[in-house]
Amino acid sequence: MTTVQASTDSLLLSASKHPLPRRSSLGVAAATLVVSALLFVLTPLDGVADFLVFWAVAYVLAMTTVSVVVEGSRRARDRLASTLTAGALILALIPLVAVLGFTIARGLGRFDMTFFTHSMLSVADSDAGGGAYHAIVGTIEQVGIATLISVPLGLLVSIYLVEYARGRFGRVVSTFVDVMTGLPSIVAGLFVLALWVLILKQGYSGFAGSLALVILMVPVVVRTTEEMLRLVPDSLREASFALGIPRWRTIQAVILPTALPGITTGIMLAIARVSGETAPLLLTVFGSSAINFNPFSGPQEGLPLFVFNEAGLPNDTALARAWAGALTLIALVIVLNVVARLLVRRSKLQPI
Amino acid sequence: MGSPHPDGGSTLLVPETARPEVPGPTRRPTRAKERLADRLFRRLTAGSAAFILVILVAIAMFLLDRALPAIYQDSTSFFTTRTWLPDGTPPVFGIAALTYGTLVTSVLAVLMAVPVAVGVALSVTSYVPRRAAQVVGYLVDLLAAIPSVVYGLWGLIFLVPAIGPLSKWLADYFGWIPIFTSQGIFGKSIFTASVVLAIMILPIIAAISREVFTQAPQSQKEAAYALGATKWEMIRTAVLPYARSGLISATVLGFGRAMGETIAVALVLSANYEINIHVLAPGGNTIAANIANTYGDAGKVGQGALIASGLVLFVITLIVNFGARAIVARNKDFRVSAA
């Protein structure tokens, strides 16, 4: 009873005060801008980043003070919350802009024909030429083989989880898929190293890299496919069963086609994710400066590996190659992402 | 209706019992065959599911198989030694410093990423208009798509020099707090690695938080508004209490991600094997980064030692992920499907 009374009081109190006009935040922003600018001109305070931070803090403090005085503490708190969340949003987008901008600016320097048509064979670190042709070939083969293995496996597992699994075993498998999702990529690489390279003595190869990528790719395919299969309405299944169509034909001819656009999106996002994986390749593909078209024997290069190796060298020429490789990787990943999103937009099944 | 077909009416006149069999396979065998196909398909999917279990058990087994001999050859205690000289005679190596570095960088990354990620999720779900929210959500997802080696390169070339002033400021004004004490300015510190990790785990924490926030019951939100709550009061009373366990599990999952991150940390840190509480000082190392940096030169014992450290990382992330699952399971109001 008393709390109701109290909150009514505070409500009446804040209602008696008038809210600030809508443009007032702009006014406070301008005022704090002028004050911070003056301070930076007159005192030893210095630097663009310092200035922006100073201005932001000054704005938040001034706005909150004005709001407390004019509107009361409840509206002030509300205003502070919306300012801070907007600030978080801007803060989160800064690295995106910085990484993309920096990579494009630095990467375009060596983003030329030589880069896409030459390998690093007999190119010294300090030479200006050389390219990532061998790395691109390797990445296409490694990711291609990984996709060929992961997609059928992932589809079957998710079909089992959605269409068949009842009880304990299904829950155990689901838990293990979650564990696999959280598996550090370097551990996947270590596993293939231990089993394939050290115990079975198969040596470093593109295929060993593919095996490591499969371990990282399968859980992503399973999770996204599972989500899409669960969105297929049960009425479709029941209609198919009512026509006397057996379960496996129903899955193959009714359920999978319905969920296909979403599944394709999931697969493309999975490809995008593993294309940039470096750590497992380091332990399984090992890297090479020459072109190796055969993914089943001998070390290969991969694009992420190429970037990592060139980035570790002290020469500016190597660094330029690293940036060009990073730009190629980002372009690849972003194209895959954009196409995947466009596909899901055309799907009739929309995730919530 | 007079059928023009000569036989049109005649079939109808034939009594039911005398009607010829429908051509093609009879019903019964077809059914049996289909049941067989159904059973085979079910077994195929169940077998694939079982294969997932086999892979994970095999990962644990083969890592153990390679790790144990190396640990036996270690002349000191594997868990408490800081040095990493597995190919020396006698081999001396331990994961104390590496585990410490892994945990500290990840904890710092989570501390930096969580407030920002929750703010992003709140503004996307409650403040930004729907269309803009879609665009922003997409941009934050894009942050997750950038490969870690690109973050590493960016961190090494851009962030390491750029973070100097911030480190100096922290050391100048907060140097009295032991962790911020630093002699001089250093870019390649645990702090820098944590900033890179924070950027990398921000999207996943933001994505899960967003999902949790959108699942807060609409009726509660409307009830809060009906009582005259401001938007922030609505969030505080109707959204946040509901989202608490989801936020905790998002944080834990982000923590797990940060611990397993390899390449970005390997590029940004200048490795050493010290346990140093001054996060702005140079050096520090993590389990994953140590594997990436020293694998190329490792000998036989060295490889086993690195696999042993990887096994420890595997076990730690396993514990963390199960912790996150347990938190979600205790509060079954929602499902965390993002990962």
Side-chain angles (χ1 to χ4, degrees), chain A residues 242-290:
Chain A
L243 291 172
I245 297 167
R247 195 162 204 132
W248 72 277
R249 277 293 290 167
T250 304
I251 291 168
Q252 181 213 328
V254 178
I255 297 173
L256 283 182
T258 313
L260 192 63
I263 295 176
T264 319
T265 300
I267 292 171
M268 295 186 72
L269 291 179
I271 293 175
R273 185 191 156 187
V274 299
S275 305
E277 282 294 350
T278 318
L281 299 189
L282 202 60
L283 306 177
T284 54
V285 176
F286 205 71
S288 145
S289 59

Side-chain angles (χ1 to χ4, degrees), chain A residues 197-209:
Chain A
V197 180
L198 296 181
I199 294 175
L200 296 177
K201 305 222 182 298
Q202 297 293 313
Y204 300 106
S205 69
F207 184 67

Side-chain angles (χ1 to χ4, degrees), chain B residues 255-322:
Chain B
F255 182 64
R257 273 284 165 87
M259 284 195 303
E261 185 44 55
T262 310
I263 292 298
V265 180
L267 280 170
V268 167
L269 274 183
S270 59
N272 69 9
Y273 300 95
E274 298 293 326
I275 291 183
N276 188 347
I277 63 157
H278 310 304
V279 296
L280 299 176
N285 210 341
T286 71
I287 294 177
N290 183 50
I291 297 172
N293 276 334
T294 61
Y295 174 71
D297 311 320
K300 201 166 180 332
V301 181
Q303 284 182 339
L306 289 176
I307 289 174
S309 71
L311 186 65
V312 172
L313 178 66
F314 180 40
V315 171
I316 298 177
T317 51
L318 216 59
I319 293 169
V320 166
N321 283 321
F322 271 106

Side-chain angles (χ1 to χ4, degrees), chain A residues 8-176:
Chain A
T8 320
D9 280 352
S10 74
L11 231 160
L12 289 174
L13 198 73
S14 64
S16 69
K17 294 192 172 190
H18 291 289
L20 283 165
R22 290 193 67 170
R23 296 292 170 92
S24 58
S25 54
L26 286 179
V28 174
T32 47
L33 176 66
V34 171
V35 171
S36 339
L38 276 177
L39 273 175
F40 270 67
V41 171
L42 298 177
T43 65
L45 288 168
D46 195 16
V48 178
D50 298 32
F51 175 74
L52 290 176
V53 172
F54 189 91
W55 178 30
V57 173
Y59 169 78
V60 172
L61 289 179
M63 196 67 224
T64 309
T65 316
V66 169
S67 182
V68 167
V69 171
V70 180
E71 299 178 307
S73 71
R74 288 182 59 215
R75 287 218 182 86
R77 247 177 261 160
D78 186 43
R79 214 175 262 280
L80 181 64
S82 71
T83 311
L84 289 183
T85 53
L89 201 56
I90 294 170
L91 204 58
L93 293 180
I94 288 175
L96 181 70
V97 174
V99 173
L100 287 183
F102 215 70
T103 309
I104 292 171
R106 296 284 177 110
L108 282 177
R110 274 305 319 275
F111 207 67
D112 50 28
M113 275 314 282
T114 318
F115 185 77
F116 292 103
T117 53
H118 286 70
S119 75
M120 289 299 292
L121 189 64
S122 61
V123 176
D125 300 341
S126 54
D127 287 350
Y133 179 67
H134 59 312
I136 295 169
V137 168
T139 287
I140 290 173
E141 288 184 352
Q142 291 146 21
V143 175
I145 295 173
T147 310
L148 286 180
I149 301 174
S150 316
V151 169
L153 184 60
L155 280 181
L156 286 172
V157 174
S158 57
I159 288 172
Y160 176 79
L161 287 177
V162 177
E163 306 291 333
Y164 291 108
R166 302 281 176 271
R168 213 189 156 91
F169 183 61
R171 280 201 302 276
V172 172
V173 172
S174 194
T175 308
F176 272 61

Side-chain angles (χ1 to χ4, degrees), chain B residues 166-176 180-182 184 280:
Chain B
L166 179 60
S167 299
K168 180 173 161 22
W169 185 79
L170 281 173
D172 284 353
Y173 291 97
F174 295 95
W176 48 274
F180 290 128
T181 308
S182 174
L280 299 176

